[in-house]
Amino acid sequence: MDNSNFQPQKEGDVIEFAKNILLEKADKLASMPVEEINTLIGVLKSTESREFLELERRTKEFCEKYHKLYNLDFLGFVKLTNEGVICEANPTFCNWLGISVKDIINKKFSTYISDPDSQLFESNIKPASIKLQFGLHLKKRDNSLFPVSANMDLLANGKEGPFIILILMAKSKFTGLEKEAQRRFSLKNSQIAALIQNIPFDFFMLDSDGTCTLQNDTSKNNWGDFTGKKLKDVSGVSDKVLSIWFNNNRRAFCGETIKEEVEYEVKGIKKRMLNIISPVVNEGRVCGILGCNIDLTELKTALIKLKEAEEKFKYLADKIPVGIFKTKISGEFVYANTAVAAMFEFSSTGDLMRENIIKRYNNPQDRLVFLNEIKSQGKVSNYEFNMVTRTGKAKHMLGNIIFDGEEISGMFVDITEHKKAEAVLEEDRNSFKKIADESALALLKAQKDLFNAKHLSDIGTLAATIAHELRNPLAAIKLATYNMKHSKLNLGIDKHIANINKKIDESEQIINNLLFYSRIKSPHYQKININEILNECIDQAREQFEKFKPEIHRKFQCLENITIDADPTQIKEMCSNILNNACDAISEKNGTVEVSAEYINGDYIKIYFKDTGMGIDEAHLAKIFEPFFTTKARGTGLGLAVSLHIAHLHHGNIDVLSRQYEGTTLVVTLPINRANGYSNHEPESIRE
């Protein structure tokens, strides 16, 4: 046949080919040359349908499997005409004979087999239908014989009529495969036997005449070894047990599967066992039975103990005042003790079990919130539930709940009375707070009265101070006046007048401090530009200390457009007092004073007055804000006391940082708005 010119004669050829592929009819395709198959694949591919593309894929798979089989080294494939002439052979067959493919084409197959086999072969290909299996001896090129097992089939195909397919297997390979199969079968039997031996219960097998062909060690230990025996020949087993065995085996041989619980006496011990016997059926006929006895004694004992434990649990659960329950995820009760029923005002747990717990939520939305949390976490502890009883009473419950993926279990504690007690305590707390606030106001009033009394006492001290402090400048004025009167020449009069003016200024400052301290009142708030006040105070300080001209640096540009709620007179007095102290501190060593500022979060400002003077002794730090405390030869000691009092009146504060011999920094904190308050009213003295 000219395969290169093969074309399908009609569409039916393609459809038939496709059907054979889909049905995997290898016998219809094995005889087709590869060229014909490829041509048909091309026709199928040209249709571009999904069905034919699937046919193409399966055809290729079939061809790959066919050609792998075609080239196996132990299988020979030969295609013959119905006259026994070779028209195709695979390489394996040619290799066996030691002849090339082209040398055997169109030769009679009987030429290459032994003479006796040749006569048998010629007689077998005469019938109209052939399907035989037989042995042959191939005649090799050197005339030696090569034994094979042959499978011959007569097939019909196209115009050329029927042809014969021979599949030959080398007997040496067949023997090896047979041994391998036997080895695997033996191994499988060994594995099955080992598995049966390790089963922890009785196992046995009887053949069709009732003889035991297999018995594991557990069965032998319980009943003795009866392998190879029939039940009637077994000794050492009670008549009662044998009677049960005979009856159940008879039913199994009739095709019935037995599964029943029986009581056996094994070595004098009564045991409950599950007896299972199953018939082994082959081609519709019972050819044996498999049986086992599973010891249920320990399981039964455990079940009895479990039941007793459940009864005890239910008894205890019904006695404790804690609610124990289990529900489905949908809310139906699975279990509830009497405490739960009582909490929800049900007369019995039976009535409660017919309820859905969702009905007991005061707000159904709370159920959804709880389900989301318990599903995500698996458990919740001390979870508060707002529930309602059957009669409509509100209940507060505290629960510890777990979720196993299907059911919700947990316990409830009724905390309704506890919640009521909390409400009473909260009411008492509010009442106590009101009393405490009233007492605090009374205490503040008493403190104010005490302050006023102290103020009067300070005024007495003030009088003595005035008498002492004003005596010195007045004496100087008197002396200067005397000198002016008795001076023969007026050359030094200007110096004396200047001295008089200075002392008069000192006297005025002393009097002002005393008067300001004795008359401090609540601030008269208005919007003030703190930047302008600081500049004014610095200018005044330079005039007052004109003699040594203090060097004062201004670093508060951040406050240039900042206004605060404050009393301008009091703020100016406070800043002047602090600046005067700083200038006094540097007068002896010609140091510097730096005024800087900081704007904090739109709520506060901080003003830093830093001098490079001698600093403050550690022993004096705690006293510098006390009235009339001073270490100067002259002065009232009221400047810082007045300044701190003004800061407090404005809900601010003054802190001091000092290192002896290195200088002092006073930090003034003031709120921007009157509503803001600086909580710390105690000055913080820091010695670095």
Side-chain angles (χ1 to χ4, degrees):
M1 179 179 180
D2 186 2
N3 295 328
S4 62
N5 296 322
F6 172 78
Q7 293 290 336
Q9 298 299 311
K10 53 188 176 181
E11 184 180 355
D13 293 341
V14 178
I15 299 302
E16 183 64 25
F17 173 75
K19 186 166 65 174
N20 288 335
I21 293 297
L22 284 173
L23 297 176
E24 296 185 350
K25 292 185 177 179
D27 57 342
K28 302 293 184 184
L29 300 171
S31 60
M32 293 182 65
V34 176
E35 291 79 2
E36 292 183 15
I37 294 175
N38 289 336
T39 302
L40 283 173
I41 290 173
V43 174
L44 290 173
K45 191 171 183 180
S46 66
T47 64
E48 295 184 353
S49 67
R50 183 179 301 171
E51 292 79 6
F52 284 136
L53 290 175
E54 175 63 15
L55 290 176
E56 177 188 9
R57 183 187 67 79
R58 297 182 68 174
T59 300
K60 287 183 177 180
E61 287 181 0
F62 169 77
C63 290
E64 288 175 2
K65 293 177 182 178
Y66 173 77
H67 286 293
K68 284 182 181 178
L69 187 65
Y70 189 80
N71 291 308
L72 288 174
D73 61 358
F74 60 88
L75 287 179
F77 291 88
V78 184
K79 179 179 177 182
L80 309 174
T81 67
N82 58 354
E83 299 297 330
V85 177
I86 300 173
C87 56
E88 188 178 340
N90 75 335
T92 302
F93 177 74
C94 297
N95 290 337
W96 287 345
L97 299 180
I99 305 173
S100 65
V101 175
K102 66 180 182 178
D103 291 336
I104 65 173
I105 298 299
N106 297 324
K107 301 286 181 62
K108 294 278 286 185
F109 178 75
S110 58
T111 306
Y112 301 106
I113 57 179
S114 66
D115 293 337
D117 293 339
S118 176
Q119 295 174 5
L120 174 65
F121 176 76
E122 290 292 341
S123 64
N124 281 333
I125 64 172
K126 298 300 181 183
S129 178
I130 300 174
K131 195 163 189 180
L132 297 173
Q133 292 180 348
F134 52 89
L136 288 176
H137 290 81
L138 298 179
K139 189 189 297 181
K140 301 176 71 172
R141 188 170 190 173
D142 59 2
N143 290 323
S144 62
L145 298 179
F146 183 73
V148 295
S149 175
N151 185 305
M152 185 166 64
D153 201 355
L154 178 67
L155 300 176
N157 184 49
K159 298 182 297 182
E160 297 180 355
F163 62 89
I164 299 168
I165 291 292
L166 271 175
I167 302 175
L168 309 172
M169 178 182 283
K171 280 204 169 182
S172 59
K173 185 67 178 180
F174 176 77
T175 304
L177 291 174
E178 185 178 26
K179 289 181 178 179
E180 176 63 16
Q182 290 175 348
R183 186 190 68 79
R184 292 188 180 184
F185 181 75
S186 176
L187 177 62
K188 184 64 67 176
N189 279 346
S190 299
Q191 291 173 341
I192 293 173
L195 178 64
I196 291 173
Q197 289 297 343
N198 290 320
I199 294 175
F201 48 79
D202 289 1
F203 186 89
F204 61 89
M205 181 187 298
L206 305 183
D207 61 13
S208 57
D209 66 352
T211 301
C212 179
T213 58
L214 180 65
Q215 183 187 18
N216 70 352
D217 290 342
T218 304
S219 177
K220 292 176 181 178
N221 184 54
N222 287 339
W223 314 108
D225 187 355
F226 52 84
T227 307
K229 299 179 182 178
K230 294 184 179 181
L231 292 184
K232 64 184 181 63
D233 299 325
V234 175
S235 60
V237 180
S238 68
D239 293 340
K240 180 180 178 181
V241 173
L242 286 175
S243 175
I244 295 173
W245 287 1
F246 276 119
N247 182 51
N248 287 346
N249 291 350
R250 178 184 56 78
R251 290 163 59 191
F253 274 114
C254 292
E256 182 182 352
T257 298
I258 312 300
K259 186 178 181 181
E260 62 182 29
E261 191 176 319
V262 295
E263 185 177 282
Y264 287 148
E265 185 173 320
V266 182
K267 296 181 178 180
I269 301 173
K270 289 185 178 181
K271 292 188 177 184
R272 298 294 297 180
M273 290 190 173
L274 180 63
N275 184 220
I276 302 175
I277 303 177
S278 177
V280 179
V281 180
N282 184 25
E283 296 182 354
R285 185 177 66 85
V286 177
C287 60
I289 62 173
L290 297 175
C292 66
N293 292 302
I294 302 174
D295 191 348
L296 302 179
T297 308
E298 292 183 0
L299 177 61
K300 286 289 183 180
T301 303
L303 288 175
I304 293 171
K305 290 182 179 179
L306 178 61
K307 188 175 181 180
E308 291 175 352
E310 287 180 350
E311 293 296 329
K312 291 178 181 178
F313 168 77
K314 289 181 180 179
Y315 175 79
L316 294 174
D318 285 337
K319 296 299 180 182
I320 62 175
V322 176
I324 300 173
F325 70 95
K326 179 185 287 188
T327 68
K328 297 179 181 178
I329 193 72
S330 55
E332 291 88 357
F333 277 97
V334 177
Y335 170 78
N337 68 347
T338 54
V340 177
M343 289 176 186
F344 291 121
E345 296 187 326
F346 283 84
S347 58
S348 68
T349 56
D351 292 339
L352 178 63
M353 295 290 286
R354 289 187 286 272
E355 277 276 326
N356 191 304
I357 197 170
I358 297 175
K359 294 182 180 180
R360 304 276 63 87
Y361 278 82
N362 196 19
N363 182 358
Q365 190 66 28
D366 292 348
R367 172 70 176 180
L368 299 178
V369 175
F370 165 71
L371 286 179
N372 287 335
E373 189 165 347
I374 195 70
K375 285 179 180 179
S376 63
Q377 298 184 15
K379 63 179 180 179
V380 293
S381 300
N382 298 327
Y383 194 95
E384 286 197 24
F385 296 86
N386 293 321
M387 313 296 275
V388 62
T389 68
R390 185 171 62 170
T391 60
K393 294 179 182 178
K395 284 279 185 179
H396 297 281
M397 296 185 180
L398 194 67
N400 293 316
I401 317 293
I402 59 173
F403 177 56
D404 62 7
E406 295 181 359
E407 295 179 333
I408 298 172
S409 307
M411 58 180 64
F412 278 145
V413 176
D414 188 348
I415 59 171
T416 307
E417 296 302 322
H418 178 75
K419 283 288 185 181
K420 290 180 180 178
E422 281 187 350
V424 172
L425 288 174
E426 180 65 17
E427 185 178 348
D428 291 345
R429 190 184 71 82
N430 292 334
S431 299
F432 177 77
K433 184 176 181 299
K434 183 178 179 182
I435 294 171
D437 290 343
E438 291 174 353
S439 300
L441 290 174
L443 182 62
L444 288 174
K445 184 176 181 303
Q447 187 178 13
K448 185 176 180 181
D449 292 342
L450 181 62
F451 176 78
N452 290 336
K454 183 176 183 299
H455 198 56
L456 292 175
S457 174
D458 290 342
I459 290 175
T461 307
L462 178 62
T465 303
I466 291 174
H468 175 74
E469 292 296 333
L470 290 183
R471 189 174 290 122
N472 291 331
L474 291 177
I477 293 172
K478 184 176 180 180
L479 181 59
T481 306
Y482 177 81
N483 289 333
M484 289 172 62
K485 288 182 179 181
H486 294 83
S487 178
K488 295 180 179 179
L489 298 174
N490 292 330
L491 297 176
I493 192 169
D494 291 338
K495 178 181 177 182
H496 294 303
I497 292 173
N499 192 27
I500 290 171
N501 288 332
K502 179 181 178 183
K503 296 304 178 180
I504 291 173
D505 289 340
E506 289 178 1
S507 299
E508 287 180 351
Q509 182 64 36
I510 292 170
I511 293 169
N512 286 339
N513 281 343
L514 292 170
L515 292 176
F516 198 92
Y517 179 71
S518 62
R519 297 175 183 175
I520 291 178
K521 297 181 180 179
S522 297
H524 295 286
Y525 285 98
Q526 56 184 281
K527 293 288 184 182
I528 65 170
N529 188 314
I530 190 66
N531 187 70
E532 293 177 357
I533 289 179
L534 287 174
N535 282 323
E536 185 178 344
C537 291
I538 290 172
D539 293 341
Q540 287 181 357
R542 281 179 170 167
E543 290 179 4
Q544 183 173 344
F545 293 91
E546 184 180 7
K547 181 177 180 181
F548 72 95
K549 296 180 180 179
E551 184 179 346
I552 304 175
H553 300 289
R554 310 177 198 226
K555 294 185 178 180
F556 46 87
Q557 291 81 1
C558 64
L559 302 180
E560 186 170 352
N561 297 316
I562 302 299
T563 59
I564 67 172
D565 294 337
D567 185 320
T569 303
Q570 292 184 357
I571 296 299
K572 183 178 178 181
E573 179 68 20
M574 176 187 70
C575 293
S576 293
N577 285 340
I578 295 173
L579 267 174
N580 290 343
N581 275 0
C583 290
D584 274 339
I586 65 170
S587 60
E588 296 181 4
K589 57 182 293 188
N590 294 324
T592 60
V593 175
E594 178 183 290
V595 182
S596 59
E598 186 179 4
Y599 185 61
I600 303 174
N601 299 328
D603 295 326
Y604 297 94
I605 61 169
K606 284 183 179 288
I607 306 171
Y608 299 88
F609 298 89
K610 181 179 180 181
D611 66 63
T612 60
M614 297 299 292
I616 302 173
D617 190 290
E618 183 179 4
H620 297 154
L621 275 174
K623 301 179 181 179
I624 60 173
F625 291 103
E626 292 181 3
F628 309 113
F629 175 78
T630 181
T631 58
K632 302 176 186 177
R634 300 180 303 276
T636 61
L638 291 175
L640 289 180
V642 168
S643 299
L644 180 63
H645 193 51
I646 292 172
H648 287 176
L649 289 174
H650 285 78
H651 305 291
N653 198 27
I654 300 177
D655 299 315
V656 58
L657 299 92
S658 183
R659 179 176 289 177
Q660 198 166 14
Y661 307 116
E662 293 186 16
T664 301
T665 300
L666 268 69
V667 184
V668 178
T669 303
L670 294 172
I672 299 292
N673 299 313
R674 183 178 179 181
N676 295 331
Y678 191 68
S679 60
N680 182 16
H681 277 181
E682 290 296 326
E684 182 181 356
S685 299
I686 303 174
R687 180 180 182 274
E688 298 181 351

